[in-house]
Short mmCIF file of all heavy atoms in Angstrom, two decimals:
data_model
loop_
_atom_site.label_atom_id
_atom_site.label_comp_id
_atom_site.label_asym_id
_atom_site.label_seq_id
_atom_site.Cartn_x
_atom_site.Cartn_y
_atom_site.Cartn_z
N HIS A 1 204.30 137.57 71.83
CA HIS A 1 203.12 138.28 72.38
C HIS A 1 203.14 139.69 71.87
O HIS A 1 204.20 140.35 71.95
CB HIS A 1 203.17 138.34 73.90
CG HIS A 1 202.97 137.05 74.61
ND1 HIS A 1 202.78 136.96 75.99
CD2 HIS A 1 202.83 135.77 74.18
CE1 HIS A 1 202.64 135.69 76.35
NE2 HIS A 1 202.64 134.97 75.24
N TRP A 2 202.04 140.14 71.38
CA TRP A 2 201.90 141.54 70.91
C TRP A 2 200.73 142.18 71.63
O TRP A 2 199.73 141.49 71.89
CB TRP A 2 201.66 141.58 69.37
CG TRP A 2 202.79 141.08 68.55
CD1 TRP A 2 203.15 139.77 68.35
CD2 TRP A 2 203.74 141.86 67.87
NE1 TRP A 2 204.26 139.74 67.54
CE2 TRP A 2 204.64 141.01 67.23
CE3 TRP A 2 203.86 143.26 67.71
CZ2 TRP A 2 205.68 141.48 66.45
CZ3 TRP A 2 204.93 143.72 66.94
CH2 TRP A 2 205.82 142.82 66.31
N LEU A 3 200.84 143.43 71.94
CA LEU A 3 199.77 144.18 72.59
C LEU A 3 199.65 145.55 71.97
O LEU A 3 200.59 146.35 71.99
CB LEU A 3 200.04 144.30 74.12
CG LEU A 3 199.05 145.09 74.95
CD1 LEU A 3 197.62 144.51 74.76
CD2 LEU A 3 199.43 145.05 76.41
N ASN A 4 198.50 145.77 71.32
CA ASN A 4 198.23 147.05 70.63
C ASN A 4 199.37 147.43 69.66
O ASN A 4 199.83 148.57 69.60
CB ASN A 4 198.02 148.17 71.64
CG ASN A 4 196.82 147.86 72.53
OD1 ASN A 4 195.77 147.43 72.02
ND2 ASN A 4 196.90 148.14 73.83
N GLY A 5 199.84 146.43 68.92
CA GLY A 5 200.85 146.61 67.90
C GLY A 5 202.26 146.62 68.42
O GLY A 5 203.24 146.80 67.64
N VAL A 6 202.51 146.44 69.70
CA VAL A 6 203.83 146.45 70.31
C VAL A 6 204.20 145.05 70.74
O VAL A 6 203.43 144.41 71.46
CB VAL A 6 203.86 147.41 71.52
CG1 VAL A 6 205.24 147.35 72.24
CG2 VAL A 6 203.50 148.83 71.14
N LYS A 7 205.37 144.56 70.29
CA LYS A 7 205.82 143.26 70.74
C LYS A 7 206.22 143.35 72.19
O LYS A 7 207.10 144.14 72.57
CB LYS A 7 207.02 142.75 69.97
CG LYS A 7 207.37 141.31 70.28
CD LYS A 7 208.69 140.82 69.61
CE LYS A 7 208.50 140.69 68.13
NZ LYS A 7 209.78 140.16 67.54
N THR A 8 205.57 142.53 73.08
CA THR A 8 205.85 142.58 74.51
C THR A 8 206.69 141.40 74.99
O THR A 8 207.39 141.56 75.97
CB THR A 8 204.56 142.63 75.29
OG1 THR A 8 203.75 141.48 74.97
CG2 THR A 8 203.77 143.93 75.01
N VAL A 9 206.63 140.31 74.27
CA VAL A 9 207.39 139.07 74.69
C VAL A 9 207.78 138.32 73.48
O VAL A 9 207.04 138.24 72.52
CB VAL A 9 206.51 138.20 75.66
CG1 VAL A 9 207.12 136.80 75.84
CG2 VAL A 9 206.28 138.84 76.96
N GLU A 10 208.97 137.72 73.60
CA GLU A 10 209.43 136.77 72.51
C GLU A 10 210.31 135.75 73.23
O GLU A 10 211.21 136.12 73.98
CB GLU A 10 210.25 137.58 71.49
CG GLU A 10 210.77 136.77 70.35
CD GLU A 10 211.44 137.66 69.29
OE1 GLU A 10 211.94 138.75 69.65
OE2 GLU A 10 211.50 137.21 68.14
N TYR A 11 210.01 134.49 73.00
CA TYR A 11 210.80 133.42 73.61
C TYR A 11 210.61 132.11 72.82
O TYR A 11 209.78 131.98 71.95
CB TYR A 11 210.37 133.22 75.06
CG TYR A 11 209.01 132.64 75.31
CD1 TYR A 11 208.82 131.28 75.52
CD2 TYR A 11 207.89 133.48 75.32
CE1 TYR A 11 207.55 130.78 75.77
CE2 TYR A 11 206.61 132.95 75.58
CZ TYR A 11 206.47 131.58 75.81
OH TYR A 11 205.22 131.07 76.03
N GLU A 12 211.47 131.15 73.20
CA GLU A 12 211.43 129.79 72.61
C GLU A 12 211.01 128.84 73.68
O GLU A 12 211.61 128.75 74.76
CB GLU A 12 212.80 129.41 72.09
CG GLU A 12 213.34 130.23 70.98
CD GLU A 12 212.84 129.81 69.59
OE1 GLU A 12 212.40 128.66 69.46
OE2 GLU A 12 212.87 130.66 68.71
N LEU A 13 209.97 128.05 73.41
CA LEU A 13 209.57 126.98 74.31
C LEU A 13 210.58 125.83 74.35
O LEU A 13 211.19 125.55 73.30
CB LEU A 13 208.19 126.43 73.87
CG LEU A 13 207.01 127.31 74.12
CD1 LEU A 13 205.82 126.89 73.25
CD2 LEU A 13 206.60 127.30 75.59
N TRP A 14 210.71 125.20 75.48
CA TRP A 14 211.44 123.94 75.68
C TRP A 14 212.94 124.03 75.49
O TRP A 14 213.62 123.02 75.44
CB TRP A 14 210.85 122.84 74.79
CG TRP A 14 209.34 122.87 74.81
CD1 TRP A 14 208.54 122.74 75.90
CD2 TRP A 14 208.46 123.07 73.71
NE1 TRP A 14 207.22 122.87 75.54
CE2 TRP A 14 207.14 123.05 74.20
CE3 TRP A 14 208.66 123.29 72.34
CZ2 TRP A 14 206.01 123.23 73.38
CZ3 TRP A 14 207.59 123.43 71.55
CH2 TRP A 14 206.28 123.37 72.03
N THR A 15 213.51 125.23 75.39
CA THR A 15 214.95 125.37 75.28
C THR A 15 215.54 125.18 76.69
O THR A 15 214.81 125.25 77.70
CB THR A 15 215.39 126.77 74.79
OG1 THR A 15 214.87 127.69 75.73
CG2 THR A 15 214.80 127.04 73.40
N PRO A 16 216.85 124.96 76.83
CA PRO A 16 217.43 124.83 78.16
C PRO A 16 217.19 126.08 79.00
O PRO A 16 216.91 125.97 80.21
CB PRO A 16 218.95 124.68 77.88
CG PRO A 16 218.98 124.00 76.52
CD PRO A 16 217.84 124.58 75.76
N GLU A 17 217.20 127.28 78.42
CA GLU A 17 216.91 128.48 79.19
C GLU A 17 215.47 128.47 79.70
O GLU A 17 215.24 128.79 80.85
CB GLU A 17 217.12 129.76 78.30
CG GLU A 17 216.74 131.01 78.97
CD GLU A 17 216.74 132.24 78.02
OE1 GLU A 17 217.08 132.08 76.84
OE2 GLU A 17 216.40 133.28 78.53
N TRP A 18 214.54 128.08 78.84
CA TRP A 18 213.11 128.04 79.22
C TRP A 18 212.92 127.00 80.35
O TRP A 18 212.23 127.28 81.33
CB TRP A 18 212.25 127.69 77.97
CG TRP A 18 210.79 127.68 78.28
CD1 TRP A 18 209.95 128.75 78.23
CD2 TRP A 18 209.99 126.56 78.66
NE1 TRP A 18 208.65 128.34 78.57
CE2 TRP A 18 208.71 126.99 78.80
CE3 TRP A 18 210.31 125.21 78.93
CZ2 TRP A 18 207.67 126.16 79.26
CZ3 TRP A 18 209.29 124.38 79.33
CH2 TRP A 18 207.96 124.83 79.49
N VAL A 19 213.52 125.82 80.20
CA VAL A 19 213.38 124.77 81.21
C VAL A 19 213.95 125.25 82.55
O VAL A 19 213.34 125.04 83.63
CB VAL A 19 214.08 123.48 80.78
CG1 VAL A 19 214.16 122.44 81.87
CG2 VAL A 19 213.37 122.85 79.58
N LYS A 20 215.07 125.96 82.53
CA LYS A 20 215.65 126.49 83.79
C LYS A 20 214.71 127.48 84.42
O LYS A 20 214.46 127.45 85.61
CB LYS A 20 216.99 127.12 83.51
CG LYS A 20 217.67 127.63 84.73
CD LYS A 20 219.00 128.28 84.48
CE LYS A 20 219.62 128.74 85.78
NZ LYS A 20 220.88 129.47 85.57
N MET A 21 214.11 128.39 83.66
CA MET A 21 213.16 129.36 84.18
C MET A 21 211.95 128.62 84.84
O MET A 21 211.51 128.99 85.90
CB MET A 21 212.67 130.29 83.10
CG MET A 21 213.73 131.28 82.60
SD MET A 21 213.06 132.34 81.30
CE MET A 21 212.04 133.43 82.27
N LYS A 22 211.49 127.59 84.15
CA LYS A 22 210.31 126.84 84.63
C LYS A 22 210.65 126.12 85.92
O LYS A 22 209.87 126.15 86.87
CB LYS A 22 209.90 125.86 83.55
CG LYS A 22 208.80 124.91 83.99
CD LYS A 22 208.56 123.82 82.96
CE LYS A 22 208.08 122.55 83.62
NZ LYS A 22 207.79 121.52 82.70
N THR A 23 211.78 125.47 85.97
CA THR A 23 212.11 124.61 87.10
C THR A 23 212.66 125.33 88.32
O THR A 23 212.81 124.79 89.39
CB THR A 23 213.07 123.50 86.70
OG1 THR A 23 214.26 124.08 86.13
CG2 THR A 23 212.43 122.54 85.71
N THR A 24 213.00 126.66 88.17
CA THR A 24 213.46 127.44 89.30
C THR A 24 212.52 128.56 89.72
O THR A 24 212.77 129.25 90.70
CB THR A 24 214.86 128.07 88.97
OG1 THR A 24 214.74 128.93 87.84
CG2 THR A 24 215.88 126.99 88.72
N GLY A 25 211.44 128.77 88.96
CA GLY A 25 210.49 129.82 89.27
C GLY A 25 209.16 129.29 89.80
O GLY A 25 209.09 128.25 90.44
N LYS A 26 208.12 130.05 89.53
CA LYS A 26 206.79 129.76 90.05
C LYS A 26 206.31 128.34 89.66
O LYS A 26 205.53 127.74 90.39
CB LYS A 26 205.78 130.81 89.53
CG LYS A 26 204.39 130.56 90.01
CD LYS A 26 203.46 131.67 89.70
CE LYS A 26 202.08 131.36 90.25
NZ LYS A 26 201.54 132.36 91.10
N TRP A 27 206.75 127.82 88.53
CA TRP A 27 206.25 126.57 87.98
C TRP A 27 207.07 125.35 88.46
O TRP A 27 206.83 124.25 87.99
CB TRP A 27 206.14 126.63 86.49
CG TRP A 27 205.37 127.80 86.04
CD1 TRP A 27 205.80 128.87 85.32
CD2 TRP A 27 203.99 128.07 86.34
NE1 TRP A 27 204.82 129.80 85.14
CE2 TRP A 27 203.67 129.32 85.79
CE3 TRP A 27 202.98 127.38 87.04
CZ2 TRP A 27 202.41 129.92 85.87
CZ3 TRP A 27 201.73 127.94 87.15
CH2 TRP A 27 201.43 129.20 86.56
N LYS A 28 207.97 125.54 89.38
CA LYS A 28 208.85 124.44 89.81
C LYS A 28 208.04 123.26 90.41
O LYS A 28 208.50 122.12 90.32
CB LYS A 28 209.94 124.92 90.78
CG LYS A 28 209.41 125.39 92.11
CD LYS A 28 210.60 125.83 92.99
CE LYS A 28 210.14 126.36 94.33
NZ LYS A 28 209.43 127.63 94.30
#
């Protein structure tokens, strides 16, 4: 994700870390 030329977010979909965030956070 970039906003006004500044990178604001960088991540990998479907990794174990991403799955853990998904299943323990708002999207559980």
Side-chain angles (χ1 to χ4, degrees):
H1 289 187
W2 294 78
L3 179 53
N4 298 319
V6 176
K7 186 188 291 184
T8 58
V9 168
E10 183 173 25
Y11 69 96
E12 296 276 339
L13 287 161
W14 318 300
T15 63
E17 176 190 358
W18 183 89
V19 170
K20 182 178 179 185
M21 290 178 75
K22 173 187 151 179
T23 57
T24 60
K26 180 172 180 124
W27 306 115
K28 67 181 179 288

